[in-house]
Amino acid sequence: MSVTIVIPARYASTRYPGKPLVELRGASGAAFSLIQRSWMAAKAVSGVDRVLVATDDERIADHATGFGAEVAMTSTACRNGTERCAEVLGQLAPEPEIMVNLQGDAPLTPAWFVEDLIAGLRNAPQAGVATPVLRCSGRMRADLIADRMAGRVGGTTAVFGHDRQALYFSKEVIPFAAGEFGDDDPSPVFHHVGVYAYRPAALRAYSGWDEGQLEKLEGLEQLRFLERGQRVLCVEVQARGRQFWELNNPEDVPRLERMMADMGID
């Protein structure tokens, strides 16, 4: 089953303009841009036939080409990464059987997150879309809550049913849970990892739908599937001792650099 990873990247981010070109220093002091680190993470995934950076910005395209990435140019009309992936799908012949959207702000995504996601979609032939979720430790949950109290969007959380089908995604920390959790204790909150695996039919359907009201309110593209009654399979992944965070705000740069230093990631 052929697999293509697409890394959508846009320059005009509302919260952090130029974010894909921001440099992150690893444990050795070596600096690579956010988009290059995301590409490096994608290239580490096994069983993938092709990796592309998808952008509408020549600055990002030139930079990505410079470090050896294959680039697909997309229109400025794309409102999110899923729409950008759908546009790339129309440029590929033959089209892949699974397309993975590895968003360009998640350079710490371990290869096994994506490998487990692909396996989860392959093993659920009735599913058109799948996405990883990571159970939060008490420390991660506290970090998410602290970001929200400070008025920052620190990450997205997911709730799902016994069948692992998503019920909702939110930039608020859900579900509410009374009490305290130790730093290393598991909590009932699941961090949504910003990666998606789609079957082509699901991508084509998505691009034909208007934005949903909840999608607009939360700023979460995956809610369009739920608002249209489409299932989104949540695949639980394991941290295996790795720290995970996404770059959403300028304040996240030192946080990611500390994590890379802690984990010895160059």
Side-chain angles (χ1 to χ4, degrees):
M1 185 172 283
S2 59
V3 178
T4 293
I5 295 180
V6 175
I7 307 170
R10 65 190 181 104
Y11 194 91
S13 169
T14 302
R15 279 180 285 159
Y16 199 168
K19 182 170 70 170
L21 302 183
V22 169
E23 289 192 337
L24 294 172
R25 293 193 177 276
S28 68
F32 298 99
S33 68
L34 177 63
I35 189 64
Q36 183 169 359
R37 288 193 177 277
S38 298
W39 177 79
M40 292 160 65
K43 296 291 283 185
V45 178
S46 63
V48 172
D49 302 281
R50 197 172 180 183
V51 176
L52 302 96
V53 172
T55 187
D56 58 8
D57 191 277
E58 293 291 346
R59 289 163 291 189
I60 295 173
D62 290 344
H63 176 66
T65 301
F67 61 71
E70 182 180 359
V71 174
M73 295 303 297
T74 55
S75 72
T76 57
C78 295
R79 292 168 289 191
N80 58 48
T82 300
E83 288 189 0
R84 208 171 296 281
C85 285
E87 190 170 317
V88 172
L89 181 68
Q91 300 176 20
L92 303 180
E95 66 182 24
E97 294 168 278
I98 292 178
M99 179 174 280
V100 175
N101 172 353
L102 177 61
Q103 299 195 52
D105 57 7
L108 299 188
T109 305
W112 64 85
F113 279 20
V114 185
E115 292 159 1
D116 290 352
L117 173 65
I118 293 167
L121 186 59
R122 280 179 171 154
N123 293 331
Q126 77 285 357
V129 188
T131 195
V133 292
L134 176 67
R135 186 182 289 275
C136 289
S137 65
R139 183 187 301 111
M140 182 181 286
R141 174 179 175 269
D143 285 345
L144 290 169
I145 291 171
D147 273 345
R148 293 305 296 125
M149 291 180 68
R152 296 188 297 269
V153 177
T156 298
T157 58
V159 290
F160 47 86
H162 67 90
D163 58 357
R164 298 286 165 169
Q165 301 300 323
L167 299 174
Y168 197 63
F169 298 91
S170 182
K171 288 179 178 174
E172 295 294 347
V173 183
I174 57 173
F176 168 78
E180 298 295 326
F181 298 87
D183 280 356
D184 297 320
D185 293 339
S187 83
V189 173
F190 281 84
H191 189 167
H192 173 237
V193 180
V195 185
Y196 305 93
Y198 321 94
R199 299 188 193 277
L203 264 183
R204 283 192 289 269
Y206 184 96
S207 63
W209 297 327
D210 291 333
E211 284 183 285
Q213 183 64 23
L214 294 173
E215 177 189 1
K216 291 178 183 178
L217 289 171
E218 291 267 13
L220 295 175
E221 64 203 83
Q222 67 271 33
L223 289 176
R224 193 182 308 184
F225 286 111
L226 297 187
E227 291 187 82
R228 291 285 177 163
Q230 303 301 304
R231 290 182 158 204
V232 176
L233 176 69
C234 291
V235 177
E236 185 174 355
V237 294
Q238 303 300 320
R240 302 186 195 174
R242 281 282 296 269
Q243 300 177 63
F244 175 80
W245 201 262
E246 295 157 347
L247 202 161
N248 295 296
N249 309 285
E251 295 88 346
D252 291 324
V253 171
R255 177 182 281 171
L256 264 69
E257 290 182 334
R258 283 195 302 270
M259 287 181 173
M260 288 190 290
D262 290 344
M263 294 183 287
I265 297 174
D266 290 336

